Amino acid sequence: MIFGEKLKAERMKRNWSQEVMAEKLFVSRQSVSKWENGQNYPSIEIIIKISDLFEVTIDELLRSDEELTKKVIRDSKQLAFPKLKFMFDVLIVIGLILLLLKIGVLLLDKFTALDLSLWGGKFIWNFGPLVLMIGGGIGSGVLKEKFKVE
Amino acid sequence: MIFGEKLKAERMKRNWSQEVMAEKLFVSRQSVSKWENGQNYPSIEIIIKISDLFEVTIDELLRSDEELTKKVIRDSKQLAFPKLKFMFDVLIVIGLILLLLKIGVLLLDKFTALDLSLWGGKFIWNFGPLVLMIGGGIGSGVLKEKFKVE
DNA sequence: TGGGCCCGCAACTCGTGGTTGCCATCCCGA
DNA sequence: TCGGGATGGCAACCACGAGTTGCGGGCCCA
């Protein structure tokens, strides 16, 4: 039984005896022994107390590390997803801003006496925004698709 | 009792009757009724099953919203922090890139026959990168300081 | 060797978790 | 209106499991 092992591990991590722990939880020492050896579970109220005492979640106490790892992997994917996607979204926004700048400059050049020139030539300004936006869009879309299976 | 209310809320959220839920958990309908009315708790094994069935953590089932809210606030702060900070960090990077571009152009202009001009004039290129980098740095630093109290 | 600390096994008690039976209420269709 | 089905609460009952007490074994140290 998973619970007993985890209970024992947490207790020994703190160098407590079963007696000490029993006192903290207001139970007999043998109760603690039984839990650790998998003979029975404590009551719900006591499980909550243990969770507080050790500052671990009840899920961590009751579930296998396998289950928890699966959950952590899933969670970390969801954590990484917004972050990575956000970065690609920023690229899209930058490309859009550059595109709008280019259009703005062209309009001003055409309808006003201002003689504005785009730095770097037409090549960069024609393809730069496009590359950023398409690259960002592809990256963002791929990530979205990858975690849609979830 | 908190557990019973949450159990009922989750069940009704799915439009299940107590009968349906009892079937899913392989217990009698009256057991479900008792849990919801706070007469007793289910066994540990069943609590784990319920947690899986509803895709909520056991902590969420057993703890008050007050306790959980305190924890969620703490977690969401940590979640929002990297995201917002990341955005300010991107601004810093953009500012740095623009600064390097400006320096690159100036060097090429001075040492080669190329006649390159910075679009928009010296004002933007002297202050633009600076504003981005300082703004990003301040934003990033404020967030860092805000959640350092944690 | 004796004492203290730590922990496991067994017997026992009692409370609680789950089941069954019954009933009340509500809603819908004939 | 009546009957049937669905839903859910209360009560009685029982088994089992959670917690307690008693006992003993192992280990370590003076």
Side-chain angles (χ1 to χ4, degrees):
Chain A
M1 184 171 65
I2 289 147
F3 173 73
E5 296 161 15
K6 294 195 174 189
L7 192 62
K8 186 168 184 178
E10 287 292 329
R11 175 175 66 84
M12 299 185 82
K13 204 194 300 183
R14 290 158 178 77
N15 258 312
W16 291 344
S17 66
Q18 289 179 345
E19 187 79 54
V20 167
M21 187 159 147
E23 283 163 17
K24 289 179 186 297
L25 296 170
F26 306 102
V27 295
S28 68
R29 195 230 4 111
Q30 278 84 352
S31 292
V32 176
S33 177
K34 279 192 167 183
W35 305 334
E36 291 188 355
N37 292 302
Q39 288 178 44
N40 56 27
Y41 281 111
S43 69
I44 301 288
E45 286 87 5
I46 293 183
I47 286 189
I48 297 178
K49 269 194 200 167
I50 292 171
S51 161
D52 290 333
L53 184 64
F54 290 146
E55 292 188 335
V56 297
T57 63
I58 304 174
D59 288 89
E60 281 171 278
L61 287 174
L62 293 178
R63 291 185 187 273
S64 70
D65 285 334
E66 211 178 43
E67 282 183 281
L68 288 171
T69 302
K70 200 184 299 180
K71 192 173 192 306
V72 167
I73 288 176
R74 196 178 349 174
D75 284 353
S76 66
K77 272 180 182 172
Q78 285 173 351
L79 252 173
F81 162 58
K83 190 172 178 179
L84 282 174
K85 188 173 180 300
F86 184 72
M87 193 179 78
F88 283 118
D89 288 342
V90 169
L91 288 183
I92 297 175
V93 171
I94 292 175
L96 196 63
I97 288 173
L98 291 182
L99 187 64
L100 290 178
L101 275 182
K102 173 195 166 194
I103 291 174
V105 167
L106 287 183
L107 288 178
L108 285 177
D109 212 17
K110 197 163 185 94
F111 294 115
T112 68
L114 294 175
D115 183 21
L116 306 168
S117 67
L118 292 168
W119 171 76
K122 290 184 188 295
F123 185 80
I124 289 185
W125 283 92
N126 280 340
F127 288 95
L130 218 56
V131 167
L132 282 175
M133 286 165 66
I134 292 182
I138 289 178
S140 191
V142 165
L143 281 176
K144 199 170 187 180
E145 205 58 38
K146 184 173 181 182
F147 292 108
K148 186 173 152 191
V149 185
E150 175 80 44
Chain B
M1 184 172 62
I2 289 148
F3 173 74
E5 297 162 15
K6 294 194 174 189
L7 192 61
K8 185 167 184 178
E10 287 291 329
R11 176 176 64 83
M12 299 187 81
K13 203 196 296 182
R14 292 159 176 75
N15 258 313
W16 292 345
S17 66
Q18 290 178 343
E19 187 78 54
V20 167
M21 188 159 146
E23 282 164 15
K24 288 178 187 295
L25 296 170
F26 306 101
V27 295
S28 69
R29 191 221 22 99
Q30 279 85 354
S31 293
V32 176
S33 178
K34 278 194 170 183
W35 304 335
E36 290 188 356
N37 292 302
Q39 289 178 45
N40 55 27
Y41 282 111
S43 68
I44 301 285
E45 285 88 3
I46 293 184
I47 287 189
I48 296 176
K49 270 194 198 168
I50 293 172
S51 162
D52 289 335
L53 184 63
F54 289 145
E55 292 187 335
V56 298
T57 63
I58 304 174
D59 288 87
E60 279 170 279
L61 287 174
L62 294 178
R63 291 185 188 274
S64 71
D65 286 333
E66 212 178 42
E67 283 181 280
L68 288 171
T69 301
K70 200 184 300 180
K71 194 173 189 304
V72 167
I73 287 177
R74 199 179 343 178
D75 286 352
S76 68
K77 271 181 184 174
Q78 288 173 348
L79 253 174
F81 162 58
K83 189 171 178 178
L84 282 175
K85 188 175 181 296
F86 183 72
M87 194 178 78
F88 283 117
D89 289 341
V90 168
L91 287 183
I92 297 175
V93 171
I94 292 177
L96 196 62
I97 289 174
L98 290 182
L99 186 64
L100 290 178
L101 276 181
K102 173 199 168 193
I103 291 174
V105 167
L106 287 183
L107 288 178
L108 286 177
D109 211 17
K110 200 166 186 89
F111 295 114
T112 67
L114 294 175
D115 185 21
L116 304 167
S117 69
L118 293 166
W119 172 76
K122 290 183 188 291
F123 186 79
I124 289 184
W125 283 93
N126 279 339
F127 288 95
L130 219 55
V131 167
L132 282 176
M133 286 166 66
I134 292 182
I138 289 179
S140 191
V142 166
L143 281 177
K144 197 172 190 179
E145 204 60 35
K146 187 174 181 181
F147 293 109
K148 183 174 153 191
V149 187
E150 178 78 47

